[in-house]
């Protein structure tokens, strides 16, 4: 019963999250609204023994330049175990610049100045890395409801 309630809550939460094109928060120091939008794929894969959940958002942090901060969190959840523990959680903050070299909305290039991924643990359980990257993305739109995103990251 507990597992069914967790699944129901997660599905409803993600449905609301994904249905929102952009969330907003107020930057009290600058007295402006900053838009928060989806970034990497957000999903729930329910399985046994593990359920995989990924949430991801981005926000443009400089109004005059296309500089973004992104955050992705991947959780591996043993949903059907007695106490339903999270087996692993990865935190992935990043800072990147988004350029549109072809002057259209369907192709862009992200230049990652800094990307960090970590499980948030210390000592011998710690797992983390830092890197920079370049990612080219092209979107093929078939209609209003369907599109294919193709990305290459190096």
């Amino acid at each position: 019963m507990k597992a069914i309630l967790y699944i129901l809550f997660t599905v409803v939460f993600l449905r609301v999250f994904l249905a929102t094109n952009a969330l907003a928060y107020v930057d009290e120091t600058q007295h402006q609204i900053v838009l928060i939008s989806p970034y990497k794929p957000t999903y729930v894969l329910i399985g046994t023994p593990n359920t995989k959940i990924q949430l991801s958002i981005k926000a443009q942090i400089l109004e005059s330049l296309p500089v973004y901060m992104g955050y992705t969190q991947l959780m591996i959840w043993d949903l059907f175990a007695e106490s339903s523990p999270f087996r692993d959680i990865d935190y992935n903050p990043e800072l990147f610049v988004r350029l549109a070299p072809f002057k259209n909305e369907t192709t862009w290039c992200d230049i990652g100045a800094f990307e960090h991924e970590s499980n948030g643990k210390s000592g011998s359980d710690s797992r983390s890395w830092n890197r920079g990257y370049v990612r080219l993305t092209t979107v093929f739109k078939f209609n209003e409801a369907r599109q294919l995103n193709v990305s290459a990251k190096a």
Side-chain angles (χ1 to χ4, degrees):
M1 181 63 175
K2 183 171 65 168
I4 293 170
L5 290 175
Y6 285 141
I7 292 168
L8 184 61
F9 171 78
T10 304
V11 169
V12 169
F13 172 79
L14 287 175
R15 179 72 178 141
V16 170
F17 181 80
L18 292 174
T20 306
N21 288 333
L23 305 170
Y25 74 92
V26 176
D27 181 348
E28 294 177 4
T29 61
Q30 299 295 321
H31 305 289
Q32 66 185 12
I33 294 177
V34 178
L35 295 180
I36 299 172
S37 58
Y39 180 35
K40 295 177 183 175
T42 296
Y43 58 86
V44 176
L45 297 174
I46 298 172
T48 301
N50 293 322
T51 295
K52 189 175 180 181
I53 302 168
Q54 180 169 293
L55 304 171
S56 186
I57 58 173
K58 72 177 182 316
Q60 187 170 354
I61 58 174
L62 294 177
E63 188 176 333
S64 60
L65 296 172
V67 177
Y68 291 83
M69 180 168 219
Y71 179 78
T72 303
Q73 185 166 319
L74 175 64
M75 298 156 283
I76 307 297
W77 190 9
D78 194 353
L79 183 62
F80 300 103
E82 183 69 27
S83 64
S84 302
F86 281 97
R87 297 290 180 206
D88 193 31
I89 300 176
D90 285 339
Y91 308 94
N92 183 210
E94 58 188 288
L95 182 66
F96 62 95
V97 175
R98 177 160 286 178
L99 304 174
F102 303 111
K103 304 295 183 206
N104 63 41
E105 294 182 10
T106 61
T107 302
W108 61 86
C109 180
D110 292 339
I111 301 172
F114 177 76
E115 180 179 18
H116 172 78
E117 187 169 334
S118 170
N119 64 354
K121 296 181 180 179
S122 61
S124 62
D125 292 334
S126 176
R127 181 183 71 247
S128 70
W129 51 260
N130 299 312
R131 70 176 177 179
Y133 64 86
V134 174
R135 176 178 45 233
L136 182 63
T137 302
T138 298
V139 178
F140 299 97
K141 294 186 178 187
F142 300 111
N143 57 40
E144 289 296 319
R146 297 186 138 172
Q147 69 181 34
L148 173 65
N149 293 14
V150 178
S151 247
K153 182 176 179 179

